[in-house]
Structure formats: structure tokens, C-alpha cells
Amino acid sequence: MRAAWLLAVALCAGCSFSRVRTNPEVAELETGWIVPGQTTFREVAERLGMPPPVGRADDAPAYVSAEALHWLSTDTKTFELKVGYIVSPIFRWSRTVAADDVLIRFDEAGRVRQVSRTRRRGGAVEVLDFRGEGA
Amino acid sequence: MKRLLLLVAALPLLGGCIWNRALVNDAGVAARAEAIVPGQTRAEELPDIMGRVPTSVIPLRDGRLIYAFSYGDAKTEGFTLILFTLSKTNSAFSAVYVFTDEAGVVRHVEASPAPETAWETWPFGA
């Protein structure tokens, strides 16, 4: 048993914990003032600012359209374990979640159709706002 | 003296620190966008004013377009201790969005907040 432990320790070439947070300011957005059916695209853009791209700076089309503005903050946690020296496989565990997600959809007249805002911390998802069509 | 020797002996155990910064595109577009005059500036003038072509062009209804000029900032900090590495990356992106009408004339300019990122090492917690 002791030899097995010694072998395991000897083969361990290192481990790492890393985390990547993107656009954490999305957590501060307030949507309570938005009135579905009344508030316009322009009012939302002026008060909340436009959504930032996520992940890559050229991702804008996914987050801005005539139908919706989508703010997204992501949180990626990664654990890596390297084993061995000459041949060194890496065991990686990684998980990305939408830590904060604000989606505002608009009708054809440019007025808010639906507001949703969710927050995920650990495994818990909290719906902070969900109003308008389909709510 | 013994403490000093211990400290010196321990120094090699400090594997090292990690600092990495990645800038995506030129953040200067936010300042240059102030030269855009709604009602006068035309879409074809935007590359000259902004100093580059848009990152993307987003079609809206009725022939209107949004020209997006995106940029970002990412900071990574961490440390390695023998076989153990901890690191955290904070990244934020922003964009200037220029709205044009169906005739190609700029109607208004909006921007997402400028990226603000902090140097942080500890990857755990909320």
C-alpha cells in the first residue's frame, strides 16, 4: 500500500487550479426599472449601455440584434492534473457557466417584450427578474 | 543566521509568479468615436475616423445597420509552487456601436462600458 502511494506521488508531475472570469460588471446591471410594452430599445441602451462581446471581441452579433440585447458574464473553473514525466498525460476538468445573464427582447416596434436576468453561483441558479411575454 | 539559511534554502521552492496581459484590438476607438457627428457622418467615413474597419456589421430592420468596433483587456495573475499552480484571469470586453439609417448616415452612437479588469490570484470563492 505504501509503495502504491509512493509511486502515485512520484508520478504526479503537478496540478493547477485556474479560473477565468469574463465581463463581471454584468452582475451590477439593474433591470427592475424596465416596463415591458413601454420601455424602448434606445432607453435600455442609454441606461444600461450596450452589451459587451463575450470571449472574443468580434462576438458582438451574438449579443446585439434588432430583437434582443444580451449581456453575459462567464465563469470558467479548470483543474488539471499531470501524471508522469516522459509520457505525461494531462487530466483536465473544466466547467464554464453563465455567471450572470441578462436578456432583453424587443418587439417589432422596438419596445421591450421580455426581460430576464439570472445569476449562477456554484450550482445554484437564481432568477432575479423574469417579466413580459411568456412570464 | 539559521533563519536566513532556511530562507535561502526555501527560495528555490518558490517556482515563480505569473503575470500575463492580453489586449484585444485598440481601445482608442472609444475616444475616436467622439469625432462622429450624428446626422452628418456617413458609414463609409467610419474606417477613417475610427482608424480601422468595424469588427462586425449587424443588420437591423428596414436596412439600418450597426457597425461594431470591439476591444478588450485580460489580466492573468498566478503563482507556481513546486508542483502546484494557482491562477486567475479577469477579462472584459467592450464595443462602440454606431447606428446608421437606411441611407448610411449615422444616427447615434452607443458604447458598452470600458473594460475594467483587476489583477487577482485566488481562483476560489464566489
Side-chain angles (χ1 to χ4, degrees), chain A residues 9-78:
Chain A
V9 170
L11 285 176
C12 180
C15 66
S16 68
F17 294 88
S18 61
R19 185 175 187 182
V20 178
R21 289 281 277 122
T22 303
N23 297 330
E25 74 280 1
V26 173
E28 310 300 323
L29 293 180
E30 278 299 331
T31 55
W33 59 275
I34 295 171
V35 182
Q38 291 186 26
T39 308
T40 64
F41 184 103
R42 185 73 183 268
E43 289 169 332
V44 171
E46 284 179 351
R47 189 144 169 188
L48 299 183
M50 293 290 281
V54 173
R56 291 180 6 226
D58 57 357
D59 279 350
Y63 299 96
V64 176
S65 69
E67 290 79 28
L69 293 177
H70 191 185
W71 290 258
L72 190 61
S73 169
T74 61
D75 189 359
T76 302
K77 294 176 181 174
T78 303

Side-chain angles (χ1 to χ4, degrees), chain B residues 10-114:
Chain B
L11 280 177
L13 298 178
L14 297 174
C17 298
I18 304 163
W19 284 283
N20 182 51
R21 187 167 189 190
L23 295 171
V24 181
N25 291 333
D26 176 13
V29 290
R32 286 196 282 274
E34 291 175 10
I36 296 172
V37 182
Q40 290 184 23
T41 305
R42 298 190 56 81
E44 52 267 32
E45 298 173 73
L46 292 176
D48 283 340
I49 293 172
M50 303 298 268
R52 63 178 170 94
V53 296
T55 324
S56 53
V57 180
I58 306 158
L60 296 179
R61 296 186 187 96
D62 309 324
R64 293 175 295 135
L65 295 172
I66 300 175
Y67 293 83
F69 297 85
S70 308
Y71 59 99
D73 188 2
K75 293 173 181 169
T76 300
E77 188 173 85
F79 70 88
T80 298
L81 188 64
I82 314 175
L83 299 175
F84 187 69
T85 302
L86 291 179
S87 71
K88 185 174 182 188
T89 300
N90 286 317
S91 64
F93 295 89
S94 186
V96 174
Y97 299 93
V98 182
F99 291 71
T100 62
D101 61 19
E102 62 279 4
V105 178
V106 174
R107 284 299 151 198
H108 65 278
V109 181
E110 305 282 354
S112 46

